[in-house]
Amino acid sequence: MKHNDWQQYAGLECYQPPASEALGSVVIAATTRGIARLDFMDNDQVSQLSQRPSDLTRACRTQLEEYFAGHRQQFDLPLDAAGTDFQQQVWQALSRIPYGETRSYGELAEGLGRKGAQRAIGAANGRNPIAIIVPCHRVIGSDGSLTGYAGGIGRKQWLLAFEAQEVPLELQPG
């Protein structure tokens, strides 16, 4: 996302998780109705943003702090993600994947009554604008492999290991 594109949101805040060396910073953007974006950003880019914390971004930050401290497995925030009806259905299905578990694209497709729609599910998953809270990192290939992740495979690997209560991994290149 371009620097100027962040200015459209009513609230904007950056959060550095305890694992910021591995994950970078998390940028939280909110409209007046809910959290609209949660993206990863390299730590050196954060200073370029004009932060405007709001009640919603503060609540999100608090819940992220609880998540990274191991005290929260589900988020309880109003969301306001822009997307098609199909994308919204996929994002709702992602939100039902339990903490510490994964699902394949095929399993998601079947759960939505769209058997064979794995590619469409993958495309909608890749357009999820609210990382972590809408846990697109919990979707894997049918063979158990880590597949694409907008935040980078290394971040996906770290988040899955974190949720599995394994020793946090260092980011892999790529």
Side-chain angles (χ1 to χ4, degrees), residues 99-170:
Y99 179 95
E101 295 184 21
T102 58
R103 298 290 183 271
S104 71
Y105 294 99
E107 290 171 321
L108 283 174
E110 283 186 38
L112 289 171
R114 296 181 179 247
K115 191 172 180 171
Q118 292 91 324
R119 287 180 190 256
I121 299 288
N125 188 50
R127 288 192 173 86
N128 170 28
I130 307 176
I132 302 174
I133 295 171
V134 178
C136 52
H137 62 277
R138 297 180 188 155
V139 182
I140 59 173
S142 60
D143 62 358
S145 64
L146 298 184
T147 54
Y149 183 62
I153 291 292
R155 286 183 176 120
K156 179 175 187 163
Q157 182 182 31
W158 191 96
L159 289 166
L160 290 173
F162 171 76
E163 290 185 359
Q165 299 180 340
E166 297 173 0
V167 176
L169 303 173
E170 291 187 28

Side-chain angles (χ1 to χ4, degrees), residues 44-158:
D44 60 344
Q45 296 175 307
V46 170
S47 63
Q48 299 173 16
L49 294 178
S50 175
Q51 296 188 52
R52 303 172 303 286
S54 68
D55 289 343
L56 285 169
T57 63
R58 284 186 202 94
C60 183
R61 179 189 181 103
T62 297
Q63 290 190 26
L64 285 169
E65 289 169 347
E66 294 166 353
Y67 169 84
F68 283 109
H71 302 300
R72 176 174 291 278
Q73 296 184 355
Q74 293 181 336
F75 292 88
D76 182 25
L77 295 161
L79 304 180
D80 190 24
T84 66
D85 288 344
F86 178 71
Q87 288 170 335
Q88 297 285 343
Q89 290 173 5
V90 171
W91 300 338
Q92 287 173 7
L94 294 173
S95 295
R96 292 189 292 270
I97 302 172
Y99 179 95
E101 295 184 21
T102 58
R103 298 290 183 271
S104 71
Y105 294 99
E107 290 171 321
L108 283 174
E110 283 186 38
L112 289 171
R114 296 181 179 247
K115 191 172 180 171
Q118 292 91 324
R119 287 180 190 256
I121 299 288
N125 188 50
R127 288 192 173 86
N128 170 28
I130 307 176
I132 302 174
I133 295 171
V134 178
C136 52
H137 62 277
R138 297 180 188 155
V139 182
I140 59 173
S142 60
D143 62 358
S145 64
L146 298 184
T147 54
Y149 183 62
I153 291 292
R155 286 183 176 120
K156 179 175 187 163
Q157 182 182 31
W158 191 96

